[in-house]
Amino acid sequence: MIDPAVEQMLREDPASYVIPAEVVANVTATNTLEHALMVLSKVGYSRVPVLDPDDRLQGMISLAAITDRLLHVPGAAVDQLSRYTVADAMLPVDHWVDDPAKLETILNYMIDEPFVPLVNEDGIFQGIITRREILKRVNYLAHNLNDQYNVTPKEHTES
Ligand code: 2BA
């Protein structure tokens, strides 16, 4: 369990650490892998969400998954990627949250994931919570904990 004081400071205004869906780069499962490669190269991110036409989160596509797919194509050449769709290389969504205030869950997922998707109860994609935004909060906490709480070491007791 996260220490309540730490949680309160990290969790202040949870919506503010969500990158909203409108500004998250994404592709659809029916896009070609060539298109997905172009999107990833243009935005500079290594992994982005895959959405269906109703904005439901379907999976993830990454540069690594596209490269891996390419390496399985005989005589691998980038133009061959137009014969495949995102669905052919898409990764499953292992972790997501339905509430940005679920900080303990988010921190646990974030040990292994660079971002955690946020979806509503209907599975509609709402945005992402990134390591960067959470680290900004941790940085704030590290600099301000002593302003809001009395933090003193516990008495050392000899046994
Ligand atoms: P990565 O693409 O592996 O990016 C790792 C970190 O590199 C990012 O961490 C960010 O600090 C920096 N970075 C990479 N490309 C950037 C760019 N075009 N502009 C600014 N900074 C860039 P986070 O910001 O914590 O993001 C974690 C992951 O979340 C990213 O991993 C990416 O997969 C995803 N992501 C972040 N913002 C996104 C967005 N607007 N659209 C789609 N995916 C996004």
Side-chain angles (χ1 to χ4, degrees):
M1 200 183 114
I2 302 180
D3 184 277
V6 170
E7 181 159 24
Q8 195 183 336
M9 283 187 71
L10 284 180
R11 213 171 55 176
E12 227 167 73
D13 190 13
S16 70
Y17 52 70
V18 176
I19 300 189
E22 310 83 77
V23 293
V24 176
N26 66 80
V27 294
T28 62
T30 52
N31 286 149
T32 65
L33 283 184
E34 189 181 28
H35 174 81
L37 184 61
M38 271 164 38
V39 170
L40 288 168
S41 308
K42 190 155 182 256
V43 296
Y45 291 113
S46 57
R47 176 199 287 220
V48 297
V50 180
L51 305 183
D52 76 6
D54 297 319
D55 286 343
R56 283 193 182 78
L57 182 62
Q58 277 198 303
M60 300 283 174
I61 193 71
S62 67
L63 278 176
I66 297 175
T67 313
D68 186 60
R69 185 75 215 182
L70 192 59
L71 291 176
H72 286 89
V73 179
V78 171
D79 61 4
Q80 307 234 18
L81 287 175
S82 60
R83 292 169 39 207
Y84 296 89
T85 64
V86 168
D88 295 323
M90 183 167 85
L91 309 162
V93 181
D94 292 327
H95 301 122
W96 71 92
V97 287
D98 56 9
D99 181 353
K102 290 184 174 169
L103 198 60
E104 183 157 11
T105 307
I106 292 167
L107 289 176
N108 277 324
Y109 290 163
M110 219 158 247
I111 292 169
D112 296 316
E113 310 278 353
F115 68 90
V116 178
L118 175 69
V119 297
N120 70 11
E121 62 278 10
D122 299 320
I124 306 291
F125 180 66
Q126 306 291 303
I128 57 175
I129 299 153
T130 61
R131 277 189 184 150
R132 182 168 191 269
E133 292 306 312
I134 294 296
L135 279 174
K136 278 167 41 185
R137 288 302 177 104
V138 171
N139 192 29
Y140 171 79
L141 168 77
H143 287 90
N144 295 284
L145 183 62
N146 212 29
D147 291 345
Q148 298 189 26
Y149 294 89
N150 289 321
V151 187
T152 49
K154 283 188 175 163
E155 291 282 324
H156 180 70
T157 49
E158 294 289 336
S159 54

